[in-house]
Amino acid sequence: MESNKLESTPSPPPNPFKDCWLLTKEHFNTEKYVPDRDSYGLVSGEEVTKKRVTAVYFSASWCPPCQKFTPLLKQMYEDLRNRNAPLQVIFVSFDRTKEMMKEYFLNCHGDWLAVPYDDPQREQLADKFNINAIPKLVVLRPDGEVITMRGRKDVQDKGMICFRSWQSAASLADNVSLRRTFSETRGFTETRLDGETDE
């Protein structure tokens, strides 16, 4: 006997940046006069994650492993962006103050985006991805589905070559030349948010 019941396909997970505004570094440019400082240098999270692999970077300035990993991620990001790779990095701060987040973002990070310090989205993202240790790099498809929770390990072990597997998992066209690779980096640790350190 045939069933008339239609099988429903599960809907894709919502893009976690669909309804949020993200900071550019230009937001902090106080030398430029703008009539509305609060909204200056903000971009739509939904727009900047369309048709791109998004790497959500949970990090803090007080975390020694973050201090080691951030320059590595920054170099990879710059190299990939120079090749027009469809990659967006979004920083989610675990800094203790807004001022610490600002200094860390402006002085140490790549030319990527950040969730505003006062935005409840910071905590929601940490809860959504169950972040209990930093640094953590969660890599997402354009629709918000997780490609890997171990993006940091990918970057450390494979350098920018890891982007090829991310891009493939995101079902994005592969037109990025990745001939240059990074030397393998060893000896990274991570800082647990309860104060412990994991090797």
Side-chain angles (χ1 to χ4, degrees):
M1 183 174 180
E2 252 180 62
S3 170
N4 291 332
K5 192 175 179 182
L6 293 175
E7 287 186 28
S8 64
T9 57
S11 59
N15 179 339
F17 300 102
K18 184 175 186 288
D19 297 316
C20 101
W21 292 94
L22 301 170
L23 298 172
T24 64
K25 288 188 174 184
E26 187 62 21
H27 176 78
F28 299 104
N29 182 354
T30 55
E31 293 175 9
K32 185 173 182 178
Y33 170 76
V34 289
D36 185 7
R37 170 63 52 196
D38 288 342
S39 64
Y40 178 69
L42 295 180
V43 295
S44 161
E46 184 175 20
E47 286 302 311
V48 297
T49 55
K50 273 185 187 172
K51 298 182 183 175
R52 287 188 177 99
V53 170
T54 300
V56 187
Y57 183 39
F58 297 88
S59 180
S61 58
W62 51 261
C63 159
C66 297
Q67 293 164 11
K68 289 182 181 178
F69 180 68
T70 301
L72 187 67
L73 180 61
K74 179 180 178 182
Q75 183 64 56
M76 183 182 108
Y77 178 79
E78 288 169 358
D79 286 348
L80 285 168
R81 290 307 291 247
N82 287 338
R83 291 165 170 77
N84 297 315
L87 173 67
Q88 185 58 258
V89 175
I90 298 174
F91 168 47
V92 180
S93 174
F94 273 76
D95 284 293
R96 295 184 176 112
T97 68
K98 188 174 186 175
E99 192 58 33
M100 287 173 72
M101 179 262 189
K102 174 184 169 182
E103 292 302 313
Y104 183 44
F105 181 51
L106 291 178
N107 298 324
C108 302
H109 285 247
D111 192 20
W112 50 63
L113 305 171
V115 175
Y117 190 82
D118 297 328
D119 192 326
Q121 180 81 346
R122 280 191 325 121
E123 207 168 297
Q124 291 165 12
L125 287 165
D127 289 344
K128 178 181 176 69
F129 297 116
N130 195 27
I131 305 302
N132 56 21
I134 56 174
K136 188 75 165 182
L137 190 68
V138 179
V139 183
L140 307 175
R141 291 167 42 105
D143 64 4
E145 184 178 330
V146 174
I147 293 171
T148 181
M149 295 289 291
R150 298 172 58 94
R152 174 180 169 228
K153 179 168 176 32
D154 285 353
V155 172
Q156 289 173 187
D157 291 351
K158 303 173 192 168
M160 71 178 175
I161 292 299
C162 68
F163 181 74
R164 180 146 295 152
S165 62
W166 297 351
Q167 189 176 23
S168 175
S171 303
L172 296 171
D174 182 5
N175 57 1
V176 180
S177 171
L178 301 178
R179 287 193 192 118
R180 184 171 155 232
T181 62
F182 296 115
S183 59
E184 211 165 83
T185 306
R186 300 283 183 211
F188 281 83
T189 58
E190 68 181 18
T191 300
R192 294 183 54 80
L193 298 180
D194 56 13
E196 299 294 318
T197 301
D198 289 345
E199 287 296 333

